[in-house]
Each structure stands twice: as structure tokens, then as C-alpha cells.
Amino acid sequence: MMAGMDKWTGLGSALASFLFLWSMVQSHLPVAFRHRLSTWATKLASLFSPYLHVTISEYGAERFSRSDLFLAVEAYLSDACTRRARRLKAELGKDSKNLQVSVDDNDEVTDTFRGATIWWYAARKLQRSQVISFYPGQDERRFYQVVFHRRHRDLVVGSYLPHVLEEGRAVTVRNRQRRLFTNNPSSGWNPYRSGKGVWSHVPFEHPATFATLAMDPADKEAIVDDLEAFRDAKDYYAKVGKAWKRGYLLHGPPGTGKSTMIAAMANLLDYDVYDLELTAVKNNTELRKLFIETTGKSIIVIEDIDCSVDLTGKRSKADKKNKSSSSEDDGNNNPKLPADPDKDDGTKVTLSGLLNFIDGLWSACGGERIIIFTTNHKEKLDPALVRRGRMDKHIEMSYCGFEAFKVLAGNYLDITDHELFGEIRQLLGEVNMTPADVAENLMPMSKKKKRDNNACLEGLVEALNKAKQEAKAKADAEAKEAKEKAEAEAKAKEEEEAKKGQGGDQDQGKEDKTSESTEGKMSNGEIKGSEQVTSDN
């Protein structure tokens, strides 16, 4: 037994001595010769091993950003293979809402795909040199190795790795923290400083869903069906030759839930939201830059577009300007100097630029985007801005009906029926009240209302009756004002006609006086004498 131990001890010592000597010799060999030896060793190993290796590095050609394939592999393995791993690591990934558990370095997991077994190895390799590098991937290298039998080469390269990439991206989207973006002023854009880019963002945590949205159930079902059809229509949009985007126009009085509708859309589709403030955009070029920096699976929102920028009067103003300039040119042939662009401190975003932003050539960059405009006055918008193809679906957010009220009652009071529902139905049919006002009356903020749902509903009935009385008083006042206006106009018309009549009598009196004077003269022989004199002459 001692002889056996001495044998293994001697073997280990010899192996250690060989490795030491090899490291010394390797440091003195030329680089080209070392690469040649490595190539020969790989070929020699391939003669005895039927397995192939694919290495996926953390950093690719762009040293400042991690490889998309590496990130997708990491997400895929954390979702599909961590249950078979023995060593795990947990971290909260960037822009992730969930804890990410992935395979730790120097561990092995197996995966199966269409009957083929694939081995994954997570590894880390430190660089030998002590040189400080500006590239994040130079001081250490993390990589995954895929090992598979050579007979599965076409399957792994042609099908399995694209499958891993697609599934990994899907996992990343499911686990990511959705964000609410807003555009920064162009004076502060700095791509090399964190938070100084084109967009800045905060976590999007709005709780609104279509289940809690105060709206007629049939209308909600139609909108949900349209959104889900858009989400699954990538191949269809490519088939018909259209960019994968869709426009929605939300219009209606204030307080009818337009912003809540946007939040419900984002939660249904799991999209990011880009809240575009047009007043912070200087020109059309900046608008295109903002669009390019948005990502897929996003909703781009311009709220109150009729108030953001004066787009409705651009054409008429331009026409007037052209007419005035042409008339000046006709009168004066001297050349005109161009206007100073720096004198206009406001935005120079034009209607044409916004139309190109919605469905021009730049709108096809990327995919799976929804563009939403909101307005309280649809009639003020240019027809070219809201036509089908730009704003594909127009959704009217109207006053609260009884079906919407039942949704609010379920949300705020957890009730589906009550003895006051009949009276509330009748009042809602007679009074225009927004869902926001109805919800405010149903919200049990006081201790009394928290103890009794009847108090909330009675408060709503009282508010509806008050609104009904105010609406009646307003209508009566408007009718009285209209009546007084009509009477004033009628009186003014009568006075005008009377003045015209008095003017006619005065003219008639003048004519009578003139005829009387003429007759008197004739009787005195003045006119007759003059005629006689004339005849004598």
C-alpha cells in the first residue's frame, strides 16, 4: 500500500514539475509558435473527441456594451436550466423587476433540444497582464461554452442557438422593469453621461388595467381585441408592407379617463411608455432623433396635442405669409433678406414634421410601437393628422354611463348591486358627469363612508341631483339670455323700421312743401312771367 501511495505521489510530483517547466518554456517561445502548438493540440484532441465547442463571449466587437447574445443566453439559462444547476448566483439585474437567478461561473448544466443533448459551461478567465484597460472586457473575460456532438452541428447552429436567442429576449422582456420616459431638452443631451441622454426615465408603476377601467364592457372588449391583434400581427404587417405600428386618438371631455386608458394599454401589452413633450422639441430634426432613440414594445404618447404646439394654424399662417410676401415682391423688386432663425425662441416643429414622425420613412425604424394622441377638442385638429392610417382607431372617452358606474362601484365599494342603483341609472341618463367625478364621490375617504357604502351612494345621488339642478339652471339662464337677445334684436329691428318710416314721411313733407311753393309762385305770375319774357325774346 505504501508502494502505491509512493507511486501516485511520484506521478503527481512529475506532473507538477512538467506544468512548471512548460510554463517556463512557454514564456520564452514566440507567440506564433505558441499559437501553432495550440492549434496542433486542438486538432489532436478532435481526433479522439466527437464533441464540438461554441464560445459566447460577454463582450463582442463593441467593448463598451455587453453582447446581446450573451445576455439572451444568460436569461435563457436562468429561466430554463437553473433547476438542473448545482451552483447558482442571484442578482437584481439592470431595469429588472424580479430577482434574477442564473448559473454561477465554473458550473455545468444540460439542455435538450429535439432529441439532442447540449451542455452549457459558464466560465470566467482573468487576463495575465496587469495593464489597466479602458475597456470593461479586458481585465476579465466571462463566457459561455456550448458543447454538443458533432452530428448535431447543423441542428445547434441553425436552430438551437436562434431558439435560445429568441427565448432569452422574451424572458428579458417579461422580467424587465417597465419604464416611463420623458424627453430631455436638447441643450442637455450628452450620451456619455448617465441620465443626460435624449430620454430620461423612472419605473412605470401605474396600477390601471382594463378590468378597473370605467368604460362600457363592449367598448373595452373591442379595444382589448384590437390591441392583442396588433401585438400578434408582426408577420401580417410584413406581408402587407406596413410598418409595425398603430395609432390611437383618444378624445373627449376632461376627466373621462384618457390617461388611465393609456396606462391600461401599457399594462395589457407590457410596453414602456414614452411621454413626448412637444414644447421641449426645437425642430423636426430633434423630433426624428427622439423617435430613433425609442425602443420596440413601446407606447409613444402626445397628450393634449391641440394645446402642445400650434399645429392647427400652420397652414393658414403659411398661406397668408406667402400671399403677403408675393404682394410685396410685386410692388418692390428689391431682394429680401432671410429672416433670422435665432429670433424665434419657440418650437419649430411643423405639421409636416409631425406627420412624418407618425408614418413617414423614419416611422419604420424598429417595430411594435403604438402612437397615441389625446385631445379634448377633436374638431380643432388638422384632418391630415387624424386620418385613418395615422390615427387608425378613434376612441371617444365620454361621460360616465351606468355600465361604467358599475365598474367603479365594484372597484371602490366591492358591490355589484344596491337599491340605489335604479335611481343612479336614471340620473346618469339625465346628467353628464365624468368618471373622475363619480369616482371621487364613491371614494370612502371619511370614517363614516368607510363604515357604510350607503353613505357613498347617497353622496353620489346628492351630487347627481345637484348637477342636474345646476344643469337646469344653466339651461334656463341660457334660454332666458337667448330670449332676451331675440327680443332685443326684434326691438332694434322695429326701431330701425320706424326710423325708416319717419324718414319717408319727412321726405314726403318736403315734396309737398315744394309743390305748394311752386303753385304759389305760379299764381303770383312769377314763373308765368318768366316764361312770357322768354317767349317774347
Side-chain angles (χ1 to χ4, degrees), residues 280-510:
V281 184
K282 287 186 177 180
N283 49 49
N284 297 333
T285 303
E286 288 189 5
L287 191 62
R288 288 193 294 268
K289 174 67 173 175
L290 287 166
F291 185 85
I292 293 172
E293 293 296 327
T294 62
T295 61
K297 295 184 180 296
S298 60
I299 298 176
I300 303 173
V301 181
I302 303 179
E303 293 196 272
D304 297 322
I305 189 170
D306 56 306
C307 303
S308 297
V309 179
D310 184 17
L311 298 171
T312 57
K314 291 290 183 181
R315 293 185 174 180
S316 59
K317 290 179 180 179
D319 294 340
K320 291 179 180 179
K321 185 176 180 180
N322 292 334
K323 290 180 180 179
S324 61
S325 62
S326 62
S327 61
E328 291 176 1
D329 292 341
D330 294 339
N332 188 359
N333 294 326
N334 295 330
K336 300 294 188 298
L337 294 176
D340 186 3
D342 296 332
K343 291 183 179 180
D344 186 8
D345 297 330
T347 178
K348 294 189 178 75
V349 175
T350 64
L351 179 61
S352 174
L354 189 59
L355 296 180
N356 289 328
F357 172 83
I358 301 171
D359 67 348
L361 292 175
W362 291 95
S363 66
C365 299
E368 201 169 357
R369 289 184 179 92
I370 289 177
I371 301 175
I372 297 179
F373 291 164
T374 70
T375 179
N376 297 334
H377 305 283
K378 177 182 176 182
E379 66 280 358
K380 292 184 178 181
L381 300 179
D382 193 291
L385 191 64
V386 296
R387 69 164 176 80
R388 308 293 177 175
R390 291 191 173 112
M391 293 293 104
D392 303 283
K393 191 172 182 64
H394 296 191
I395 302 175
E396 182 179 4
M397 308 297 294
S398 187
Y399 294 103
C400 186
F402 183 68
E403 294 297 330
F405 158 75
K406 289 198 298 183
V407 175
L408 293 174
N411 293 341
Y412 289 92
L413 306 178
D414 295 324
I415 59 176
T416 58
D417 196 10
H418 194 274
E419 59 183 7
L420 292 175
F421 275 21
E423 184 177 359
I424 292 174
R425 177 199 287 270
Q426 181 179 356
L427 288 171
L428 287 175
E430 300 172 352
V431 180
N432 290 331
M433 180 174 284
T434 64
D437 292 332
V438 174
E440 183 62 28
N441 284 282
L442 292 179
M443 186 174 291
M445 297 302 296
S446 65
K447 293 182 178 180
K448 179 181 178 181
K449 288 186 176 182
K450 287 182 179 180
R451 291 194 300 266
D452 188 5
N453 290 336
N454 293 332
C456 295
L457 296 175
E458 289 172 358
L460 176 60
V461 170
E462 182 180 353
L464 287 170
N465 282 319
K466 182 178 179 181
K468 181 179 179 180
Q469 294 175 0
E470 290 176 353
K472 185 177 183 303
K474 183 179 179 180
D476 293 342
E478 291 177 352
K480 182 179 179 180
E481 183 180 356
K483 182 179 179 182
E484 291 176 352
K485 184 178 179 180
E487 291 177 352
E489 291 177 353
K491 185 176 180 181
K493 187 176 181 181
E494 291 178 357
E495 291 177 353
E496 184 178 357
E497 291 178 353
K499 288 180 179 180
K500 290 181 178 179
Q502 291 178 358
D505 294 342
Q506 292 177 357
D507 293 340
Q508 184 66 33
K510 290 180 180 179

Side-chain angles (χ1 to χ4, degrees), residues 93-144:
K94 182 182 178 181
D95 297 327
S96 177
K97 62 182 178 181
N98 298 324
L99 192 67
Q100 184 175 351
V101 179
S102 57
V103 180
D104 198 5
D105 297 332
N106 302 317
D107 196 14
E108 170 191 334
V109 291
T110 59
D111 193 16
T112 57
F113 182 76
R114 298 181 186 176
T117 302
I118 297 101
W119 292 268
W120 286 93
Y121 295 92
R124 181 194 302 266
K125 182 179 180 181
L126 297 176
Q127 297 293 333
R128 294 181 181 181
S129 63
Q130 301 298 322
V131 179
I132 299 176
S133 174
F134 293 100
Y135 298 105
Q138 288 290 336
D139 52 352
E140 66 177 18
R141 289 180 57 208
R142 294 184 64 236
F143 57 90
Y144 286 102

Side-chain angles (χ1 to χ4, degrees), residues 249-270:
L249 175 67
L250 307 183
H251 61 96
T256 51
K258 293 184 285 294
S259 298
T260 306
M261 169 69 78
I262 296 170
M265 288 180 173
N267 287 326
L268 174 70
L269 300 174
D270 202 20

